[in-house]
Amino acid sequence: MSTQTPTAEQPERKDTWTGQTGFLLAAIGSAIGLGNIWRFPGVAYANGGGAFLVPYLVALIAVGIPMLWLDYSLGHKFRGSPPWALRRLKAGGEFIGWFQVLVCFVIMVYYGAVIAWGVQYMIYSVNQSWGDDPQGFFLNDFLQTVDGETFSWSPVAAIMIPLALVWMFVLLIIGRGLSKGVEAANKVFLPLLVVLFLVMVFRAIFLNGAIDGLNAFFTPQWGQLSDPHVWLAAFSQVFYSLSVGFGIMLTYASYLKPKTNLTGTALVAGFANSSFEILAGIGVFSALGFMAASQGVGVNELEGLTGPILSFVTFPQIVSMMPGGSLFGVLFFASLVLAGITSLLSLLQVVSGGLQDKFGFSPVKASMVLGVPAMIISLSLFGTRSGLNNLDIVDTFINNIGVVSTAVSMAILVALFAPRLKGLRTHLNSVSSVKVPKAWEALVGVIIPAVLIFMLFSAIVGYIQEGYGGYKTSFVLIFGWGSVAFAIIVSVILTLLPWSHHSVDAATVAHLVEEDEDALVNATVSGAETAEVTREGGAS
């Protein structure tokens, strides 16, 4: 019934994944990032230990996988970046798409700084440059951090140099395009990351005191399951870790070939990411058990069990205590760098894809247009003595408000303002081995947005009433709320600019609605025909 019309143009996908394996490696590489290594172990330990795995698995199945399916269906069906795909849902959806792109832009600007720290610490591990005071070395000698009441533009050469090199490296990869750049890099970096991390974990579990660390990590505190904050922590961990709801997986899926097993790939990517998080927990807490035993204290008495302090203060201290510590340090920080780079590439691809779709840029031109300002901002804000403070504020606000807002907006757009969930489920089922049940529509359209809105509301109220981290109110306004406002304002500007490469009009939207209706009718007719054949076969 439906035929392709000239008005239903869409971005050309001259470059696609060479196969499903390349896409899967890139998707897993995006999901496996810094948070897997330095966030999950501490979150799990603080929220019930082994018992945390129950809400964590529930969150993976009820939120993580369904949101992955939503991202995959939008990207694959509409064959474009978030602004293009969401505008094809409804004209106002383009703003939400650009908001996703700008959230990725803000994240990647500071993400590179943490990778640069890892590069330096990989070098420092060789001779354990931090000496007897890892915390003093990290904060005072390396970062040269100023207090939370002070802002400084003073550059720190030990950060700026590796940060500039990281940017040049990743922009070179993005400029090579999808298959020759992002896919080729992930085919090397992800297996290397897994091998290095397995070696590190194997070394850690044979350390003295490792069993005590593992007991602390896995021993369930069942009483914690009655605490709603534990469940909220599990939902938050899965949501951020899988890179869902803010354009990454949507963009990656848009480069897939038409016949691709979407739902099966999402299941593999989701559970692979969770497996790596649990592996990280085993490695981290084995090392923490050794540290506690060396100091003659319990694991529960240790501090700095999550975030940058875990990676750049606690782990260097462990490295200094253990035999062969320098090799362990190199392996750990090399793993951190590789995990960071694969995630940074996915963020860059979202921004690059949006620019290519709207303005017709080549991958090289897009990498320059986004890369030059990103590198300048990154060096100016996060290569200075205020870098750690700036990063802490921006990271908190753009994740807890920006990322959650984009996911909520996208889910509501699809479910209410441009009701297309039936069509998207039909599309998933038409190309996938694992069929999506009807319950998915209720999850994505009602339950998940409700949970995310609660998370968003709680974060906003908390920051308004209490500020954040003891920083000056002006700093929180500029770098916290300011980062979210920056993403919104630039998204509005980009939405208002004309599409110089592809047209989108009312006829296009009407055509797509017709396609969805045809798909549903065909699916119904096909099901009826199948049932009729079955009945006839049974009668004969």
Side-chain angles (χ1 to χ4, degrees):
M1 175 180 173
S2 174
T3 57
Q4 187 70 23
T5 66
T7 56
E9 298 177 21
Q10 63 183 38
E12 293 182 47
R13 284 294 182 247
K14 296 179 180 178
D15 196 4
T16 60
W17 304 106
T18 59
Q20 195 150 317
T21 300
F23 164 72
L24 185 58
L25 288 174
I28 295 173
S30 171
I32 294 177
L34 302 174
N36 297 66
I37 298 174
W38 76 20
R39 189 174 189 271
F40 173 78
V43 170
Y45 175 68
N47 289 279
F52 180 75
L53 295 180
V54 174
Y56 176 77
L57 290 174
V58 170
L60 175 64
I61 295 169
V63 175
I65 300 301
M67 285 298 290
L68 267 181
W69 284 346
L70 177 61
D71 276 340
Y72 283 11
S73 63
L74 286 168
H76 189 257
K77 180 176 177 62
F78 298 126
R79 316 296 293 169
S81 59
W84 171 262
L86 297 184
R87 181 166 185 177
R88 289 183 69 172
L89 281 171
K90 191 174 180 64
E94 183 182 347
F95 166 76
I96 299 173
W98 281 117
F99 191 31
Q100 291 187 342
V101 171
L102 266 296
V103 164
C104 288
F105 179 87
V106 173
I107 294 173
M108 76 187 193
V109 163
Y110 68 77
Y111 209 83
V114 184
I115 299 173
W117 300 352
V119 171
Q120 279 287 48
Y121 263 70
M122 190 166 56
I123 299 170
Y124 290 154
S125 295
V126 176
N127 58 3
Q128 301 177 23
S129 302
W130 47 78
D132 297 328
D133 184 14
Q135 181 164 332
F137 178 83
F138 177 61
L139 296 176
N140 302 324
D141 298 335
F142 176 55
L143 296 180
Q144 301 176 32
T145 304
V146 295
D147 61 67
E149 297 288 316
T150 307
F151 180 80
S152 174
W153 289 106
S154 300
V156 180
I159 302 172
M160 276 202 160
I161 294 173
L163 180 54
L165 293 175
V166 166
W167 273 108
M168 288 187 282
F169 178 65
V170 294
L171 290 176
L172 178 65
I173 293 174
I174 288 292
R176 287 176 55 83
L178 186 82
S179 58
K180 294 181 180 179
V182 175
E183 180 177 347
N186 275 283
K187 283 183 175 179
V188 175
F189 295 152
L190 187 63
L192 184 59
L193 165 62
V194 173
V195 170
L196 290 178
F197 209 74
L198 282 172
V199 172
M200 190 204 77
V201 171
F202 184 79
R203 175 71 183 91
I205 60 177
F206 287 101
L207 291 170
N208 180 40
I211 296 299
D212 294 331
L214 293 176
N215 285 336
F217 179 57
F218 283 113
T219 298
Q221 301 167 35
W222 298 113
Q224 293 269 38
L225 294 183
S226 61
D227 184 353
H229 291 94
V230 171
W231 289 84
L232 190 60
F235 276 68
S236 299
Q237 177 63 32
V238 167
F239 182 77
Y240 295 127
S241 177
L242 281 179
S243 304
V244 292
F246 57 108
I248 293 177
M249 293 306 166
L250 189 159
T251 300
Y252 271 8
S254 72
Y255 294 96
L256 283 167
K257 292 179 171 60
K259 297 296 182 181
T260 302
N261 182 7
L262 296 177
T263 57
T265 303
L267 288 170
V268 173
F271 283 100
N273 172 71
S274 297
S275 298
F276 189 90
E277 288 195 316
I278 295 172
L279 180 67
I282 292 171
V284 167
F285 271 86
S286 294
L288 291 173
F290 165 77
M291 181 180 181
S294 300
Q295 296 178 347
V297 299
V299 175
N300 62 332
E301 298 177 62
L302 297 176
E303 297 180 352
L305 302 187
T306 188
I309 296 300
L310 170 67
S311 297
F312 297 99
V313 174
T314 307
F315 254 86
Q317 190 173 351
I318 294 170
V319 167
S320 296
M321 292 178 176
M322 65 191 300
S326 293
L327 176 60
F328 186 86
V330 170
L331 290 173
F332 176 78
F333 288 109
S335 299
L336 207 65
V337 169
L338 290 172
I341 286 177
T342 55
S343 295
L344 181 56
L345 288 173
S346 67
L347 294 165
L348 284 159
Q349 188 61 43
V350 175
V351 185
S352 176
L355 295 174
Q356 290 177 55
D357 284 355
K358 180 137 192 175
F359 302 108
F361 292 161
S362 67
V364 173
K365 185 173 182 179
S367 70
M368 294 301 295
V369 170
L370 76 92
V372 172
M375 183 164 64
I376 292 172
I377 296 171
S378 185
L379 291 170
S380 300
L381 293 181
F382 307 107
T384 65
R385 296 186 63 192
S386 291
L388 178 62
N389 298 339
N390 298 342
L391 187 151
D392 184 26
I393 299 172
V394 174
D395 174 61
T396 298
F397 276 76
I398 204 64
N399 276 287
N400 294 344
I401 296 178
V403 170
V404 177
S405 295
T406 65
V408 169
S409 301
M410 183 176 71
I412 292 176
L413 175 73
V414 174
L416 299 180
F417 294 102
R420 303 290 293 278
L421 283 173
K422 288 183 180 179
L424 292 174
R425 184 166 66 89
T426 300
H427 178 75
L428 286 169
N429 288 338
S430 68
V431 297
S432 303
S433 57
V434 179
K435 302 307 177 185
V436 179
K438 188 174 178 58
W440 175 76
E441 296 177 30
L443 275 174
V444 173
V446 180
I447 297 174
I448 293 175
V451 172
L452 295 179
I453 287 172
F454 177 77
M455 290 169 54
L456 180 63
F457 178 77
S458 300
I460 291 175
V461 170
Y463 298 144
I464 291 175
Q465 292 180 345
E466 303 170 11
Y468 174 69
Y471 295 106
K472 287 178 63 174
T473 302
S474 58
F475 290 174
V476 174
L477 285 173
I478 293 170
F479 296 106
W481 296 108
S483 64
V484 178
F486 166 80
I488 293 173
I489 292 169
V490 177
S491 298
V492 170
I493 294 172
L494 289 170
T495 300
L496 295 175
L497 292 176
W499 285 75
S500 60
H501 192 46
H502 302 285
S503 63
V504 184
D505 54 23
T508 301
V509 177
H511 172 75
L512 291 166
V513 171
E514 182 186 358
E515 283 183 337
D516 266 1
E517 291 174 349
D518 287 349
L520 287 169
V521 170
N522 291 337
T524 303
V525 171
S526 176
E529 290 176 347
T530 302
E532 183 65 28
V533 169
T534 303
R535 284 194 297 271
E536 290 177 356
S540 62

